[in-house]
Amino acid sequence: MKSLVLLILLLPLAAALLTQLIAPRFRQTSVRISIVGSVATFIVAAALLTLALRGEPTRVIQFGANWGELLFDPLGSLMAFVVSGISLIVHVYSVRYMRDEPGYPRFFVLLDLMTAALLLMVIAGDLITLLIAWHLIGVLLYFLLGHDASSHAAHRYASWTLLTYRFGDLPLVIAAVLLYQAFDTWSLQAIFAQLTQAPDKLTLFELPLAETVAALVALSAFARSAQFLLHTWLPYSMSGPTPVSALMHAGIVNAGGFLINRFAPLFVNTDGVLHWVFIVGLVTAVIGSVLMLAQNDIKKALGYSTMGQMGFMIMECGVGAFSLAIYHLIAHGLFKGTLFLGAGGVIGEARQDDGVPKDDLYTFVVEREPAKRRQPWLPMAIMTLVVPVTILVLAHWLVAQDFFQKQGAIVLLFFGWVTGAQLIFSTYRMRTQNIWRLMGLILFSFTIVVLGYAMISHAFDLFLYPDPVFRTSIDAAAGIDIIWFDALVILMALVVVLGWLITYAAEQHRQYWGAKLGAIWRSFYTLVAREFFVIDAYARLSDGLLSIARRLNVLLRWS
Amino acid sequence: MSSLDMSSFGYILAAIFLPLFPASMLFNWLFFRIGNVWLRSGLLLVWPQLGLWLLAAVTEEPPVGLIYWGVLTAGLYAFRACALRDFRLWTAHMATSSWALLWLAAAVNEGGYEVNLQAAAFSAPFVLLAWFIFRIESSFGAAYAGAVGGLALTVPRLAGVLVMTVLAAVATPLFPGFFVLLQTITQALMVVPGAAVMVLGVWLLWAWAGTRILQGLVFGPASSEPGADLAGVTTGLLGSVLLVLVIAGIAFAEGLA
């Protein structure tokens, strides 16, 4: 076990070193070494995950007196498997994609180092090791994004990414120091054990330790996972090579969700921090998704889509669905990685052929004759509201009968409800002649997705947090007063129902609503198209600060 | 002379060598005018040690105001370094910024030679940078971001080692600067929390200053004729020095408490 944990770190490091040493003489061979290292790392990660799935207990492997602890636990082994898997795919993809780029072997050295840093982050057993890995990821990403040494633009955006990351590193430093001062150890396991014994410990300025540290950890996670106001680096980091975009969107950006999960024993002792996490995630999810819709550049749209997904992941943490966030980050990593790696090829092929098979389904969905008459809007609206919620409730009830006692699950159900309703609404808008066939297809896919999501997330919950008492305490930390919660549920249900009724009515009487809301809609679109002026504000701030620094230098005669 | 006068005099002298603004201007003025690379390197190594020696000679604890003034000086020079394009000035400003933090480190340290080692850990990357300044000035006529650009394309070995040294100077892990800052913050957060939090701000400014100078010197299209790159032996030697710094950093981390 100890050797496997050590090996998973040493393999990418050794691959990086060998690649660097051999590169000047054997360009191609050096890259092959990197690939072999990547395959070996993946095999070791798979072995570790297998051990964890077989129920091997959590172990701490100590390499130094004060720090240098590595942790073998379900979360670390699962994340190591994901990181090494995505890294392997990116490695293999880059062999041909980057072949003609200058600094070809250097790119693989950086990829290997990044893999090592990510693996170190997920298996770090103490705060110093975690801080080192957390910092190094930002630095390595800076060099990966700026791989094209001749591009000023790439480096400008890489610098901005590094600065945002560094901004996010700092709260984690304070959090680590506060924990060390409180418990006199850097070891995460020892800290969590002591925290469970004394959850009401106070810290600086008589502030509650758990809440203060949790808020700082959350802030760090926000910067890493591109939450609103700390998001601007994400959509603009596309000037880096495509494999880096894939690695970043599929792996690195998910670190926020991982960090919150790593500190789960801390968050269960908080009261209120998770609510803020939920709000930040919600705002990010909404704004990210809105911004994505307004983009006309596919890579930028994917960037904002990631922002929305990250918001959703953080929001899941906020409602106490920690393991669901891990499932989400893995699922998102896989589909976003695929999208990035396939984007260039898809665009190229689509210029020749749209790639959609001209079968029955295609004719039905795309080459359809619009129906002369729509279905009556009111029954359709009612169906839109009733059907998804029924499927969602049944699916969740099948998986866990105590579903309705979990506030977080009910909050997430609302999102599922709105998504399902959106699907059914699209059948109404599409004006198909055979509406029942279309709806059948949609409902079938929706049911499969909901069932899969509910079952897999439940399995993740059991794997990552096997202790039922701990699972209950996560829900308790994320929960609010039951009266307030019920009132909010009723209010939200009313908003959703009313919203969809208005949407259907507006669709029926388009001209009237179009004239009424047109001007407001156009102003909103302008705001969205300018990305809410956040980037402009940051650019102004940075220019202003540099101008002040220049003036000061002149005033003080550069001394 | 009364003890108060003695200590005030000692602090004033120390403020020159552990640079507190405006006394800090003397070091920057000197560094910019000294042309000899060995003298510059010596200055970078000895200057803060002199300051620490003077500070130790004043037996009283430095007033909290001076500690805050040190952190503010560090912030001021880090902030000004963000707008600098002359690599020589940049190095001097960043060294000033690092050493000014030693007021806080010295105040929260439990005595012994630890703070001297911390000063040396801060100085070491700047000694290497002094050599790089000499090398770039000899090859390209000036070490000025923009005028000399795209070193990664023209002299890749030199650029590679230079980038690593700048990373060491801005306290990137696993270089000793990272652990010195972590140690200082760990010791200071419960005693002078305001100053400890301000140190984090300085750290952020260092990162900004570092990326800006790299952007101007190392990255972007080549703006000068290719000069002679480092020989393999020199690169290996510089790499070894950086490796020693990393090992020193890990050793620092062992003592983190």
Side-chain angles (χ1 to χ4, degrees):
Chain A
M1 162 74 68
K2 187 178 174 179
S3 47
L4 276 182
V5 174
L6 192 59
L7 205 59
I8 204 172
L9 273 184
L10 290 182
L11 279 169
L13 285 177
L17 189 66
L18 281 173
T19 308
Q20 177 65 30
L21 288 176
I22 292 175
R25 289 194 181 177
F26 309 101
R27 195 172 183 258
Q28 288 301 325
T29 315
S30 67
V31 168
R32 278 194 205 118
I33 287 172
S34 177
I35 301 289
V36 170
S38 205
V39 172
T41 311
F42 180 66
I43 292 168
V44 174
L48 281 173
L49 181 62
T50 311
L51 286 173
L53 285 167
R54 282 184 182 172
E56 193 80 22
T58 297
R59 277 193 208 164
V60 176
I61 298 135
Q62 183 88 37
F63 288 100
N66 251 348
W67 65 291
E69 271 184 24
L70 300 179
L71 188 64
F72 168 80
D73 70 338
L75 178 64
S77 53
L78 176 65
M79 290 304 295
F81 180 72
V82 174
V83 166
S84 57
I86 290 171
S87 163
L88 174 61
I89 294 167
V90 171
H91 268 81
V92 172
Y93 180 89
S94 309
V95 172
R96 283 183 63 195
Y97 187 88
M98 299 295 290
R99 186 173 285 163
D100 299 327
E101 296 287 321
Y104 180 55
R106 175 166 49 92
F107 181 77
F108 283 88
V109 171
L110 285 169
L111 271 187
D112 286 330
L113 290 175
M114 177 59 96
T115 309
L118 285 167
L119 289 169
L120 184 65
M121 178 188 79
V122 298
I123 60 171
D126 67 273
L127 290 164
I128 297 179
T129 310
L130 181 65
L131 281 176
I132 290 171
W134 196 254
H135 273 70
L136 282 179
I137 289 167
V139 175
L140 289 165
L141 183 60
Y142 168 73
F143 290 111
L144 275 170
L145 287 172
H147 179 72
D148 180 3
S150 63
S151 164
H152 267 311
H155 276 273
R156 208 168 31 249
Y157 296 132
S159 302
W160 186 238
T161 304
L162 178 68
L163 284 178
T164 312
Y165 270 38
R166 182 53 58 89
F167 180 81
D169 295 342
L170 303 181
L172 194 61
V173 172
I174 307 180
V177 171
L178 287 178
L179 285 174
Y180 175 78
Q181 294 291 359
F183 301 113
D184 202 26
T185 173
W186 295 104
S187 165
L188 283 168
Q189 292 295 93
I191 286 169
F192 295 148
Q194 290 188 57
L195 187 70
T196 314
Q197 300 298 318
D200 299 325
K201 217 173 165 81
L202 298 178
T203 185
L204 213 60
F205 309 122
E206 299 297 307
L207 289 166
L209 176 75
E211 263 85 0
T212 311
V213 173
L216 291 164
V217 169
L219 190 56
S220 250
F222 294 162
R224 194 56 55 106
S225 287
Q227 297 303 288
F228 183 58
L229 295 182
L230 294 171
H231 70 281
T232 48
W233 61 274
L234 185 64
Y236 283 86
S237 55
M238 301 301 174
S239 15
T242 298
V244 178
S245 301
L247 184 67
M248 192 170 73
H249 288 255
I252 301 165
V253 77
N254 297 315
F258 163 76
L259 190 72
I260 293 178
N261 269 273
R262 178 51 86 217
F263 281 88
L266 174 80
F267 280 96
V268 294
N269 289 302
T270 61
D271 180 26
V273 177
L274 286 174
H275 304 153
W276 287 105
V277 171
F278 170 75
I279 290 169
V280 171
L282 178 64
V283 170
T284 307
V286 172
I287 290 181
S289 307
V290 168
L291 287 171
M292 177 194 73
L293 293 172
Q295 303 306 313
N296 50 19
D297 173 273
I298 183 168
K299 278 184 113 185
K300 220 167 148 194
L302 285 176
Y304 276 118
S305 146
T306 299
M307 181 188 162
Q309 294 286 343
M310 290 301 103
F312 204 77
M313 179 188 74
I314 292 290
M315 198 179 72
E316 284 163 342
C317 292
V319 295
F322 280 31
S323 49
L324 185 65
I326 294 291
Y327 171 49
H328 189 146
L329 73 86
I330 294 172
H332 170 256
L334 290 177
F335 88 73
K336 196 51 69 68
T338 312
L339 282 174
F340 269 107
L341 296 180
V346 167
I347 293 168
E349 278 172 23
R351 287 187 182 132
Q352 313 298 325
D353 174 35
D354 61 11
V356 181
K358 303 285 189 293
D359 57 10
D360 255 8
L361 190 65
Y362 173 84
T363 321
F364 172 62
V365 176
V366 181
E367 293 178 356
R368 64 199 158 74
E369 288 282 317
K372 290 192 178 78
R373 238 183 98 248
R374 273 184 169 169
Q375 301 298 319
W377 72 271
L378 193 58
M380 281 299 291
I382 291 167
M383 205 166 76
T384 298
L385 290 163
V386 174
V387 174
V389 83
T390 312
I391 294 172
L392 279 161
V393 168
L394 282 176
H396 283 83
W397 180 79
L398 268 175
V399 174
Q401 271 81 33
D402 63 344
F403 167 72
F404 282 104
Q405 286 156 25
K406 294 182 179 177
Q407 292 185 357
I410 294 172
V411 173
L412 293 175
L413 189 129
F414 269 93
F415 287 89
W417 187 18
V418 173
T419 311
Q422 178 73 47
L423 271 171
I424 299 181
F425 177 62
S426 66
T427 62
Y428 178 72
R429 281 189 92 173
M430 279 173 81
R431 283 188 172 218
T432 178
Q433 285 183 326
N434 192 345
I435 190 166
W436 304 116
R437 188 182 170 200
L438 182 60
M439 193 167 287
L441 286 168
I442 284 175
L443 287 181
F444 179 70
S445 345
F446 184 67
T447 310
I448 297 285
V449 169
V450 169
L451 266 175
Y453 208 79
M455 281 175 176
I456 296 172
S457 63
H458 186 63
F460 266 67
D461 216 17
L462 296 179
F463 175 58
L464 294 176
Y465 300 107
D467 180 7
V469 178
F470 189 81
R471 288 204 300 268
T472 314
S473 42
I474 296 179
D475 292 331
I480 59 170
D481 183 74
I482 192 71
I483 298 170
W484 276 106
F485 183 75
D486 289 345
L488 278 172
V489 165
I490 293 166
L491 181 71
M492 280 311 295
L494 283 174
V495 167
V496 172
V497 170
L498 206 67
W500 278 112
L501 288 175
I502 291 173
T503 307
Y504 267 91
E507 182 68 20
Q508 191 69 15
H509 309 101
R510 261 187 173 189
Q511 281 189 332
Y512 171 76
W513 285 97
K516 205 151 191 154
L517 294 175
I520 299 169
W521 187 241
R522 273 191 294 279
S523 308
F524 179 68
Y525 185 80
T526 311
L527 198 63
V528 173
R530 293 299 303 269
E531 295 158 271
F532 296 107
F533 296 95
V534 175
I535 291 159
D536 299 83
Y538 285 163
R540 283 269 177 96
L541 179 69
S542 136
D543 289 346
L545 286 173
L546 286 175
S547 164
I548 294 170
R550 274 187 215 106
R551 281 162 197 244
L552 270 174
N553 282 334
V554 174
L555 192 73
L556 299 170
R557 303 194 62 77
W558 295 277
S559 290
Chain B
M1 215 183 262
S2 69
S3 70
L4 182 70
D5 293 339
M6 277 297 287
S7 60
S8 304
F9 184 65
Y11 287 136
I12 290 169
L13 273 183
I16 296 172
F17 295 98
L18 285 185
L20 289 184
F21 183 79
S24 52
M25 293 170 85
L26 179 64
F27 168 77
N28 284 276
W29 183 85
L30 260 179
F31 189 84
F32 193 69
R33 271 146 194 89
I34 292 174
N36 185 294
V37 62
W38 297 109
L39 213 55
R40 265 191 217 162
S41 305
L43 196 70
L44 284 163
L45 277 176
V46 173
W47 197 268
Q49 300 296 343
L50 278 174
L52 288 172
W53 178 72
L54 284 165
L55 198 62
V58 184
T59 46
E60 292 163 33
E61 285 274 306
V64 179
L66 277 186
I67 294 168
Y68 274 98
W69 192 241
V71 180
L72 284 171
T73 302
L76 174 72
Y77 277 89
F79 178 57
R80 288 173 57 193
C82 296
L84 288 172
R85 301 179 75 82
D86 188 308
F87 198 28
R88 204 192 295 198
L89 284 173
W90 185 89
T91 305
H93 277 56
M94 288 296 287
T96 309
S97 176
S98 310
W99 297 336
L101 292 179
L102 291 171
W103 283 89
L104 176 63
V108 293
N109 240 293
E110 285 161 5
Y113 289 104
E114 197 170 332
V115 72
N116 295 80
L117 287 175
Q118 292 180 342
F122 273 147
S123 295
F126 295 111
V127 174
L128 283 180
L129 288 181
W131 185 85
F132 279 112
I133 294 165
F134 165 73
R135 175 82 194 206
I136 297 169
E137 284 177 343
S138 309
S139 301
F140 301 98
Y144 195 88
V148 179
L151 291 181
L153 300 175
T154 51
V155 279
R157 280 180 182 167
L158 186 140
V161 193
L162 174 65
V163 165
M164 294 305 287
T165 315
V166 169
L167 288 181
V170 299
T172 306
L174 299 157
F175 291 109
F178 172 81
F179 296 105
V180 172
L181 282 189
L182 194 55
Q183 170 86 322
T184 308
I185 293 164
T186 305
Q187 290 173 333
L189 193 63
M190 304 310 267
V191 191
V192 264
V197 172
M198 282 156 68
V199 172
L200 293 171
V202 175
W203 206 351
L204 183 65
L205 288 171
W206 286 0
W208 194 13
T211 56
R212 280 187 60 81
I213 202 75
L214 286 181
Q215 210 174 317
L217 277 176
V218 177
F219 304 116
S223 54
S224 55
E225 286 296 307
D229 201 358
L230 294 181
V233 179
T234 319
T235 313
L237 197 69
L238 289 167
S240 307
V241 175
L242 288 168
L243 189 66
V244 169
L245 284 180
V246 168
I247 294 165
I250 292 169
F252 262 110
E254 278 300 323
L256 263 173

